[in-house]
Amino acid sequence: MLAAILICGTAWMTSCNGNANTEKAAEDSVAVVENEDSYLTAVDRYLVDSVGSHYQQGEVCIPCAHIVEVDEQNPDSVLVWGDFWVFNYNVVGDTLKTVSGGSHPGLMCVQKTDEGYKVTSFDQVADGSRNLESAKRIFGDKYEAFHAINSDEKKREEARGNLVSKYVKENNLEVKLYQDYGWPAIALP
């Protein structure tokens, strides 16, 4: 089984220092971090290990974090608001076929530990009838920026394609396409 450490991207705890001083991320911001331990790689690991592992497993797990905003005021306890996605795939010929995955928007608190960065809490937007209420509570004054990212399927799919392509290249896979069940295969950019 292949592993992915790739980012495309929590209870509001007092240990996460809930200060209002934040660094704005662009609406279409998709962060990618390679081979360095940072709060973004911690988000990526969390998506693979703690979120992706609850779905039907595939040979490849690729997270895609659309970052809404980051509060780095305390570098040992960073707040990351995002529209977090995870996708599990199997390699079938030259195609990554989607096995499972989904969206998990919310707020992650990432702390620096002796072992590196680690997500210590995740306040996830609720499903169903509580979705809007919980999204507004979690994102607060960042809700409009979150909604713009979350509702733009075209940009989200473009970012997903770029991350899948990057993963394929970094892992020397003989893959040229990716495909969701019931949909046509899409060529990698």
Side-chain angles (χ1 to χ4, degrees):
M1 180 182 279
L2 301 172
I5 298 294
L6 177 61
I7 282 203
C8 158
T10 328
W12 184 278
M13 310 287 280
T14 52
S15 64
C16 286
N17 188 11
N19 292 320
N21 190 9
T22 59
E23 174 182 311
K24 277 284 201 188
E27 280 186 16
D28 59 348
S29 171
V30 177
V32 178
V33 177
E34 302 172 15
N35 302 322
E36 75 177 56
D37 190 34
S38 72
Y39 63 85
L40 293 174
T41 57
V43 167
D44 191 44
R45 280 190 303 270
Y46 184 84
L47 288 171
V48 171
D49 297 341
S50 298
V51 176
S53 64
H54 291 286
Y55 285 101
Q56 181 179 342
Q57 295 300 290
E59 296 170 316
V60 176
C61 182
I62 303 176
C64 185
H66 303 268
I67 305 302
V68 174
E69 192 164 314
V70 176
D71 180 345
E72 295 180 270
Q73 184 172 343
N74 179 353
D76 293 330
S77 188
V78 178
L79 299 173
V80 183
W81 289 265
D83 188 14
F84 306 111
W85 287 76
V86 64
F87 298 95
N88 288 316
Y89 301 94
N90 283 335
V91 180
V92 180
D94 67 351
T95 305
L96 285 175
K97 300 243 181 186
T98 306
V99 174
S100 61
S103 172
H104 300 270
L107 169 63
M108 291 191 190
C109 176
V110 183
Q111 293 185 333
K112 191 171 187 176
T113 68
D114 291 340
E115 294 83 37
Y117 288 89
K118 178 181 179 181
V119 173
T120 56
S121 62
F122 179 37
D123 190 6
Q124 184 173 316
V125 172
D127 289 331
S129 64
R130 295 185 357 238
N131 180 273
L132 181 60
E133 175 189 335
S134 67
K136 286 185 174 184
R137 175 184 57 79
I138 293 166
F139 286 94
D141 63 352
K142 296 164 257 331
Y143 176 77
E144 292 303 320
F146 159 69
H147 181 68
I149 290 170
N150 181 260
S151 62
D152 192 335
E153 183 178 358
K154 183 178 179 184
K155 281 187 180 181
R156 187 174 60 242
E157 287 303 311
E158 181 180 312
R160 177 184 174 195
N162 290 334
L163 286 171
V164 170
S165 181
K166 182 171 180 49
Y167 179 87
V168 165
K169 288 175 187 169
E170 288 178 351
N171 290 279
N172 299 314
L173 298 178
E174 297 294 321
V175 170
K176 295 179 173 61
L177 309 160
Y178 68 101
Q179 181 177 25
D180 291 336
Y181 181 78
W183 291 89
I186 300 171
L188 293 175

